[in-house]
Amino acid sequence: MAGPLKSGKVKTNLNFSKKKIAIVVAEWNSEITEALHSGAVEALVKHGFKKQNIIRKTVPGTFELTLGSLWAAEDKSISAVISLGCVIQGETPHFDYICQAVAYGITEVNIKTKKPVIFGVLTTLNKQQAMDRAGGKYGNKGEEAALTAISMLSF
C-alpha cells in the first residue's frame, strides 16, 4: 500500500491556511536546491498553506542548515521548518563529515525546539542522482519533505 509520501497527499483534517512554515534552503548546488524548494512550496500550497505564510530563508551551504533551521524554529510564529540541501560526494571525506554533522544537527534542532524540523537533504554520489531526486525520475524530495512536515503537524 502506498503511503502519503508516495501518493503525494496527506490525509488530515487540519486547516493550514493560517499556519506559517519556514523553508531553509542551501545555496550550494542551487540548481538542485531550487528544484527541491519549488517541489516543497507546490506541495504545501496544495495542502492549504498560503504562499505568504511560506517563509524562505537562505543559507550558504548545507552545513549551515542546522543553525538556519534553529533560528527559523525559534520564531514562535513558525509551526515547522523544512531544511533543504544537497551534498554530492567528491574525492575527499568532506562529504561524510558534512552529511553526518547536518543529520545530527537537524535532529538536535527537532529535540531542542520541540517542533518538526524536516531533513530534506540529498546525499548523492553524483549530480545526476541529485537531479533524479529533485524533480527527475525519482520524484521531488522537496515535495516529500513538505508532506513529512504536514504529517508531523497532523500528529
Side-chain angles (χ1 to χ4, degrees), residues 21-24 65-75 78-84 102-121 145-146 148-150 152-153:
I21 193 164
I23 304 177
V24 183
L65 283 172
T66 298
L67 184 57
S69 295
L70 176 62
W71 287 342
E74 286 176 336
D75 181 332
I78 299 292
S79 299
V81 178
I82 300 169
S83 305
L84 300 176
V102 175
Y104 178 78
I106 297 298
T107 300
E108 288 296 302
V109 175
N110 275 281
I111 294 166
K112 180 178 180 178
T113 64
K114 296 178 177 50
K115 287 184 180 180
V117 181
I118 309 307
F119 184 82
V121 178
T148 300
I150 291 165
M152 290 304 293
L153 288 171

Side-chain angles (χ1 to χ4, degrees), residues 40-106:
V41 169
E42 186 177 311
L44 292 170
V45 169
K46 184 162 63 168
H47 282 81
F49 282 87
K50 292 189 174 167
K51 276 195 175 183
Q52 65 264 29
N53 290 338
I54 302 170
I55 312 303
R56 181 192 170 123
K57 298 291 183 178
T58 304
V59 296
T62 299
F63 186 79
E64 291 77 27
L65 283 172
T66 298
L67 184 57
S69 295
L70 176 62
W71 287 342
E74 286 176 336
D75 181 332
K76 294 191 185 326
S77 72
I78 299 292
S79 299
V81 178
I82 300 169
S83 305
L84 300 176
C86 176
V87 185
I88 298 171
Q89 188 165 14
E91 297 177 2
T92 68
H94 179 77
F95 171 87
D96 298 316
Y97 299 128
I98 297 297
C99 294
Q100 183 175 3
V102 175
Y104 178 78
I106 297 298

Side-chain angles (χ1 to χ4, degrees), residues 123-137:
T123 56
T124 62
L125 300 177
N126 56 56
K127 186 176 180 181
Q128 185 60 53
Q129 287 180 343
M131 292 174 67
D132 289 345
R133 290 156 178 81
K137 66 181 177 180

